[in-house]
Amino acid sequence: MTDAGKISEGSPYDVVVVGAGPVGENVADRARAAGLTTAVVESELVGGECSYWACMPSKALLRPVVARADARRVPGLSAAVQGPLDVGAVLAHRDAETSHWKDDGQVAWLESVGADVYRGTGRLTGPREVTVTAPDGTEHRLTARHAVAVCTGSRAVVPALPGIEEARPWTSREATSAKEAPGRLVVVGGGVVGVEMATVWQALGSEVTLLIRGGGLLPKMEPFAGELVAEALTEAGATIRTGVSVTALHRPAPDGPVTVELDDGDRVEADEILFATGRAPRTDDLGLETIGLEPGSWLTVDDSCLVEGTDWLYAVGDVNHRALLTHQGKYQARIAGAAIAARAGNASLDTAPWGTHAATADHRAVPQVVFTDPEAASVGLTLAEAERAGHRVRAVDHDLASVAGSGLYADGYRGRARMIVDLDREILLGVTFVGPGIGELLHSATVAVAGEVPIDRLWHAVPAYPTISEVWLRLLETWRG
């Protein structure tokens, strides 16, 4: 142990990973699998945002909400599940899924693969050099023979509005870790975080109001996805206001309500307000200026996740702004880990589309599930995106409620499916499903899009009867006419 303020020089590593969320963990795992010595630096909890404040707690909160909604649509069961959810039990389950915000298990896993874990803030202090400042102030300089991988993720953005500090708004972190349901919750933003958290807290007893600057929910998906989710949220009791923006906040008493001023002159009062209005890269305190890059910026990379203008710095996951999703960041980590190992061994890289060292899916086949009721899931391009990209396409739609499996799944089933067909190549460029229980359908669509499976071959992929996946047959029948 060194004295505070002194820098301890460590042995060089082959790879230094800054950030031990799922992305950094996967980079370290791939590097170690290739026989490269690896150090991992983490300033908070090993496991990162996903494990403690995003994917895991949010889905733990959503699962009983969606399960109850599904059960209420099943004859013979619906009458037994009309009561409220056990809020305490739901929150306790959430706490268990986050390991009570302790990372012992994840630290043990990293150590089990042979990575050295350094607690503290890691900053670049020159090419291939990271200085770690530990919580007690001691510093340790790490050098990398081959690569430094920045996997620090992103943080929630809160707009600079009058009264924002006194209002103490929630971000996604507070929304997923809250210890009780607020009586009234205002949610600003209609993206994934906004609609999922509105779904959770409305079901757990909050009076929820969504304030949307645009015209609808889930603007990055097909329009019908946001429409069906909005319809269900409204039926559940939430209030959705579109075309409005927050102009100021007032919370004179620390424990009192917050008043939200809107640009149409109206006011809304709530006990808590959640801003789900975007993300920013966690690169502002990374030391980018020491290597000629802009602090706080997104890092531009090639398909192997190598930062442009360098031959040693990798940016993997949210920080490269390609696809801000945990599973996509882990995919990038596998690609980057293989590229680091290949370059370390002076091997040639396969960076052609869909090659071993190319994160091609970031451009063509990004899957996502929104765990609302109904679920919304998509992969690849929407119709609008495909047309903007210049593709000659046709959208093929089908009512999910007309599939036998959907009727068996739930009375009054409502849903929709769409596939985007490239008319020149006759492959799928994108698929969207909206409806109860459709999240597990998405991987079949992802395989079809990523595999560029000819649509005529999909005709031979026979869906089991009677399942909701029979919608694939219905879509193909509609395509054929």
Side-chain angles (χ1 to χ4, degrees), residues 2-8 131 133-134 136-141:
T2 61
D3 295 331
K6 294 184 178 179
I7 298 178
S8 171
T131 297
T133 304
D136 64 2
T138 60
E139 293 186 335
H140 202 101
R141 182 179 289 123

Side-chain angles (χ1 to χ4, degrees), residues 17-275:
V17 180
V18 183
V23 176
E25 289 175 324
N26 275 265
V27 172
D29 181 50
R30 291 298 82 208
R32 288 295 301 131
L36 301 176
T37 59
T38 305
V40 183
V41 182
E42 177 53 53
S43 61
E44 292 188 289
L45 296 175
V46 173
E49 197 82 7
C50 172
S51 299
Y52 306 103
W53 300 287
C55 314
M56 295 304 292
S58 66
K59 301 324 171 267
L61 291 168
L62 283 158
R63 178 59 192 145
V65 175
V66 174
R68 181 183 66 166
D70 282 346
R72 284 178 169 178
R73 291 187 282 259
V74 178
L77 179 60
S78 59
V81 289
Q82 290 303 314
L85 291 165
D86 183 334
V87 177
V90 172
L91 297 182
H93 174 60
R94 183 269 319 270
D95 293 351
E97 289 297 322
T98 60
S99 301
H100 300 275
W101 290 275
K102 296 179 181 178
D103 64 0
D104 304 38
Q106 302 229 34
V107 171
W109 179 84
L110 262 181
E111 292 174 340
S112 76
V113 302
D116 291 342
V117 179
Y118 289 82
R119 295 279 195 179
T121 300
R123 297 180 182 87
L124 293 164
T125 46
R128 294 184 174 85
E129 183 178 281
V130 175
T131 297
V132 182
T133 304
D136 64 2
T138 60
E139 293 186 335
H140 202 101
R141 182 179 289 123
L142 309 177
T143 56
R145 296 185 186 92
H146 300 295
V148 173
V150 173
C151 308
T152 49
S154 62
R155 57 178 173 79
V157 172
V158 176
L161 294 169
I164 193 75
E165 291 187 8
E166 72 175 22
R168 303 186 319 282
W170 281 6
T171 66
S172 52
R173 284 197 171 196
E174 290 77 21
T176 56
S177 62
K179 299 302 182 184
E180 60 183 13
R184 298 163 299 173
L185 174 66
V186 165
V187 178
V188 183
V192 176
V193 172
V195 297
E196 287 191 345
M197 290 300 96
T199 299
V200 164
W201 293 111
Q202 179 69 39
L204 293 181
S206 300
E207 180 184 313
V208 172
T209 300
L210 284 97
L211 303 177
I212 314 300
R213 185 169 56 185
L217 305 181
L218 300 176
K220 294 185 179 180
M221 301 183 86
E222 297 284 7
F224 63 80
E227 291 165 4
L228 286 168
V229 171
E231 185 179 303
L233 276 170
T234 301
E235 290 176 358
T239 299
I240 302 174
R241 298 182 60 175
T242 59
V244 295
S245 296
V246 177
T247 58
L249 303 170
H250 302 280
R251 193 173 211 161
D255 297 325
V258 57
T259 300
V260 185
E261 291 189 10
L262 305 178
D263 60 354
D264 63 1
D266 200 2
R267 293 187 171 199
V268 180
E269 189 174 86
D271 298 292
E272 300 291 351
I273 181 169
L274 162 64
F275 278 92

